Structures are given as C-alpha cells and as structure tokens.
Amino acid sequence: MTRIIAGRARGARLEVPSTGTRPTSDRVRESLFGALESVDALAGARVLDLYAGSGALGLESLSRGAASVDLVEKGRQAAAIVRRNAATVAKAGGIAIGRVHESAVHPFLLRAAGTFDLVFSDPPYDIADDAMTADLVALAPLLSADAILVVERAKRSTPPDFAAAGMRLLRDKAYGDTTLWWAEPQPAVESQSR
C-alpha cells in the first residue's frame, strides 16, 4: 500500500495500478522529499509529474505545500487511478486537486504552456535513450530558471543526456536498483561587454 508520507494529506492512502507501473518505494520517496525540503523546492512550487503511475510523487508535493501539480499518465486505467488519488489527497488535505492529463508524455510536453519549478520524470525502465533525450529537450522550455528536475531510472540505465537539453546534472544517488538524477537548467551565459 502506498500512502502520502507527510504534509496536509499525511496518511492518505493511494491506489496503485495493478500493472504497467513501478511505484517509487517509500524509502526512496522519503529520502527524495527530505532532500527537496532541505533546498526549499516544494513551498509554492508548480509541479509536473511525468509518467505519473499512481501520482504519488506529484501528490506528495501537493501535500507538502506545492501550489499546483499536473500529472501526466497515458494509460487509461492508471490515469483513472491518478484522478481518484488526486481527489483523495485534495479531500484529506483540504487542498487544490491535481490536474490529470491522460496523454503520452512527449505530445503533452509539445503542447503544454506555462512553466514548472519542480518536475518528476519516472519513465518505464525500458524507454529508449533517444526517447528520453527527446522528452528532456521538449521539457526544457517549460522549466523556470531555478527549476529542479528529478529523473528516476534503473541503476543500470545510461544517465540522461541533460546537456542535449541545456541542463546540467546536480547530483545522482542510487537506491538498490533505482537511481535518481537531479538536474537544473544551465544558467544563461552572460555576454561580455566590449
């Protein structure tokens, strides 16, 4: 069973799709959110949860003070579960409900508007490296200047090509078979005055 770990909706139970998703373990979520809170990345953040699965990462953010969350999940059954989980968290925490987009990630990124401060990307472990890079390139224009992107993949996976999207790696950490990569937009290089 998956639950919201902390915040206004602490303890709210989340449904998990029976197939096709790989929920982030409680241990990894606890460590991730402790680190995010230590850099003040949650309060008032506009959050995007790609490959949402159950929506646990985005909804945990909402419970802990994010201003909004958009959850993207293409599987019909999983998207329905994310909608129910978003309603559960909103009711339990007395907070805004997350917006659920039943869509593949890449097309969503190409049509999305606005900017995001915190993005979670937890693609299927077998996603091709070029598809992952294409997602990062499409995501880059949607990031605020001080955004944080967290990518979750198998430990044996090739690290994401953040440079192709104008991003830089901040840190990475392995948890068993899972690795989290943190990245941020590269700061614009200021032109030298002559």
Side-chain angles (χ1 to χ4, degrees):
M1 177 187 318
T2 299
R3 294 177 186 260
I4 296 296
I5 298 168
R8 293 178 61 182
R10 180 181 183 187
R13 293 180 179 189
L14 302 179
E15 293 179 58
V16 175
S18 57
T19 61
T21 63
R22 177 189 23 76
T24 303
S25 74
D26 286 352
R27 176 177 156 243
V28 173
R29 278 191 302 133
E30 193 127 10
S31 177
L32 170 60
F33 280 94
L36 288 169
E37 285 183 330
S38 75
V39 297
D40 198 26
L42 294 169
R46 294 159 298 182
V47 177
L48 178 60
D49 187 350
L50 303 173
Y51 305 97
S54 67
L57 296 175
L59 297 173
E60 184 76 36
S61 300
L62 203 54
S63 178
R64 293 181 187 229
S68 64
V69 65
D70 285 84
L71 304 115
V72 182
E73 175 55 55
K74 77 173 182 177
R76 177 164 293 192
Q77 177 199 19
I81 288 172
V82 175
R83 282 188 193 91
R84 288 194 298 271
N85 286 342
T88 296
V89 168
K91 183 177 179 184
I95 50 183
I97 194 165
R99 291 180 294 272
V100 180
H101 307 272
E102 188 175 327
S103 171
V105 166
H106 197 75
F108 171 83
L109 292 173
L110 294 177
R111 70 177 181 271
T115 58
F116 297 96
D117 307 307
L118 177 60
V119 179
F120 300 105
S121 181
D122 185 5
Y125 278 177
D126 61 355
I127 190 172
D129 290 342
D130 59 342
M132 181 80 226
T133 300
D135 284 353
L136 293 175
V137 169
L139 172 64
L142 302 174
L143 298 176
S144 63
D146 58 351
I148 294 175
L149 165 64
V150 179
V151 176
E152 180 176 341
R153 294 190 77 190
K155 188 166 134 179
R156 67 186 180 281
S157 298
T158 306
D161 186 0
F162 295 116
M167 299 180 208
R168 69 175 174 195
L169 179 67
L170 291 172
R171 65 173 96 165
D172 61 273
K173 182 165 174 124
Y175 303 85
D177 283 348
T178 299
T179 298
L180 297 182
W181 284 275
W182 291 47
E184 67 180 358
Q186 283 276 30
V189 178
E190 293 188 29
S191 57
Q192 296 179 336
S193 56
R194 294 183 176 211

